[in-house]
Amino acid sequence: MTKRAYNFNAGPAALPLEVLQQAQEQFVEFGGAGMSIMEMSHRSSIYENVNNETQSLLRELFGIPDHYKTLFLQGGASTQFGMIPMNLLSEGKTAAFVQTGNWSNKAIKEAKLIGKTAIVATSEENKYTRIPDLSELKLPEETAYLHITSNETIEGIQYSEYPNTGDIPLVGDMSSDILSRPVDVSKFGLIYAGAQKNLGPSGVTLVIIREDLAANSPKTLSSMLRYDTHVNNNSLYNTPPSFSVYMVNLMLKWIASKGGVSAIEQYNRDKTNLIYDAIDSSGGFYRGAADAASRSVMNITFRIHTEELEKQFIKESEAAGFVGLKGHRDVGGLRASTYNAVPLESCKALAAFMSDFQQRNG
């Protein structure tokens, strides 16, 4: 095999080499069935065991309480932007949002199509460079739920702590930092995440939902759009993205082998600190795009003082084996995504490249 790239893609993103190699070994035949897991019925006992084991691993690693259900759905987080208000935003209620960037804006846009919405806090005036102060958060009367985006991949900002909403359900889009750090799931009514950043390949979306919220799914909705449909059928109502769920299974076992979510959190901080240190010690050659207090441990956004140098940085980094360092087209600049599976060695290599690039162009 040729040398693997230094993969800093924002998603689909890096997967551990060990996981890829195990999947390769089991690709043609899985579980002694004489066929790949992609070829077998999702009603088979072999696949049902994978489905159940993956849920159990999630519960153990993420500390999911017994009165929550874990679902493996399709359509990505983008489908959840509409499915959540369809299920939770009833007549006369308001969906409240904290507006922190591109992905929260997309969630707001979709919810407006379903019912009444309110932006209760925003950092738009700061160009989404920080998480807004939520210490004196006031929610409208008859609030159905408060929605937050725990980590904004494009702007590179992340919540350090979550708001306490009392009896009002807190809904969290954790697509880009799920299982990257411990979370008190009991603070949330619903958590959702696309798998393609920290949990596995694209194709499956994780939903963690409190049982009482799922049970109240409106019976007027199409069956596929109701959470209770998937709860009552153990995520097997229709054909699931079976290979993606299997890959999530392997990824969860990999996280467990590394010491669990707390150990992964420290590993992620060690990786991220290497790159933030390269930015902060550059004397202004590099500039972090996010406010220091809101910096993401998953997506490091930064700039160089001229666009010409940024273009040169991208060109030279690609030639050196780095992938995915170009900032999102909406904001420009540079971005390194350091999700769970990005190796420490890749971050060390990037920090060294940044130092060398500065010495040659500073």
Side-chain angles (χ1 to χ4, degrees), residues 32-299:
M35 68 184 86
S36 164
I37 196 166
M38 292 185 291
E39 299 174 280
M40 65 180 61
S41 169
H42 62 290
R43 307 295 181 193
S44 68
S45 60
I46 293 178
Y47 181 74
E48 284 196 49
N49 288 337
V50 171
N51 182 64
N52 293 336
E53 182 185 51
T54 307
Q55 293 185 45
S56 296
L57 287 166
L58 274 166
R59 287 190 174 280
E60 180 181 352
L61 285 169
F62 210 38
I64 300 173
D66 291 340
H67 61 295
Y68 285 73
K69 295 296 185 180
T70 56
L71 306 176
F72 301 126
L73 307 181
Q74 299 176 62
S78 296
T79 295
Q80 293 306 307
F81 295 160
M83 192 167 171
I84 289 166
M86 286 179 187
N87 282 264
L88 304 186
L89 182 55
S90 56
E91 186 73 26
K93 295 279 189 175
T94 299
F97 289 84
V98 180
Q99 184 185 35
T100 48
N102 181 79
W103 292 108
S104 60
N105 281 331
K106 289 188 175 184
I108 294 166
K109 178 182 177 182
E110 294 300 312
K112 284 181 177 179
L113 300 175
I114 310 300
K116 186 178 179 181
T117 64
I119 296 173
V120 296
T122 180
S123 56
E124 183 179 17
E125 70 278 8
N126 301 104
K127 297 183 179 180
Y128 306 123
T129 57
R130 64 175 179 83
I131 299 295
D133 180 11
L134 303 180
S135 60
E136 298 182 6
L137 183 67
K138 294 182 179 180
L139 299 177
E141 292 185 14
E142 302 300 323
T143 296
Y145 59 88
L146 174 66
H147 180 285
I148 64 171
T149 304
S150 63
N151 182 82
E152 291 278 5
T153 61
I154 292 175
E155 291 80 11
I157 59 175
Q158 184 179 31
Y159 283 77
S160 58
E161 57 185 36
Y162 301 116
N164 184 353
T165 56
D167 293 334
I168 296 172
L170 179 62
V171 173
D173 177 359
M174 295 189 184
S175 292
S176 51
D177 63 355
I178 188 81
L179 264 76
S180 68
R181 57 181 177 176
V183 168
D184 183 356
V185 175
S186 67
K187 286 187 174 183
F188 291 81
L190 186 152
I191 293 169
Y192 65 101
Q196 67 273 13
K197 301 176 188 292
N198 277 310
L199 280 184
S202 60
V204 61
T205 305
L206 169 66
V207 172
I208 304 168
I209 186 169
R210 215 170 62 205
E211 287 181 343
D212 62 303
L213 295 178
N216 289 329
S217 298
K219 301 303 183 283
T220 54
L221 279 179
S222 169
S223 297
M224 278 294 290
L225 296 174
R226 284 169 26 199
Y227 289 120
D228 64 345
T229 297
H230 302 286
V231 167
N232 294 335
N233 291 275
N234 196 29
S235 295
L236 297 172
Y237 176 72
N238 68 317
T239 306
S242 53
F243 187 77
S244 294
V245 173
Y246 155 75
M247 289 295 292
V248 170
N249 182 287
L250 297 186
M251 188 69 187
L252 293 172
K253 290 175 179 176
W254 178 83
I255 292 173
S257 75
K258 298 300 179 183
V261 177
S262 293
I264 285 291
E265 178 186 27
Q266 186 57 56
Y267 183 61
N268 286 332
R269 291 191 181 279
D270 290 343
K271 295 185 303 185
T272 305
N273 286 341
L274 288 167
I275 302 171
Y276 279 128
D277 286 348
I279 294 169
D280 294 338
S281 64
S282 70
F285 183 83
Y286 299 109
R287 175 178 56 82
D291 285 3
S294 297
R295 280 176 167 176
S296 171
V297 181
M298 297 281 95
N299 308 98

Side-chain angles (χ1 to χ4, degrees), residues 333-356:
L334 305 163
R335 173 176 59 175
S337 296
T338 53
Y339 301 127
N340 285 351
V342 174
L344 180 68
E345 291 71 23
S346 293
C347 296
K348 288 180 178 178
L350 177 56
F353 175 83
M354 291 170 66
S355 176
D356 177 69

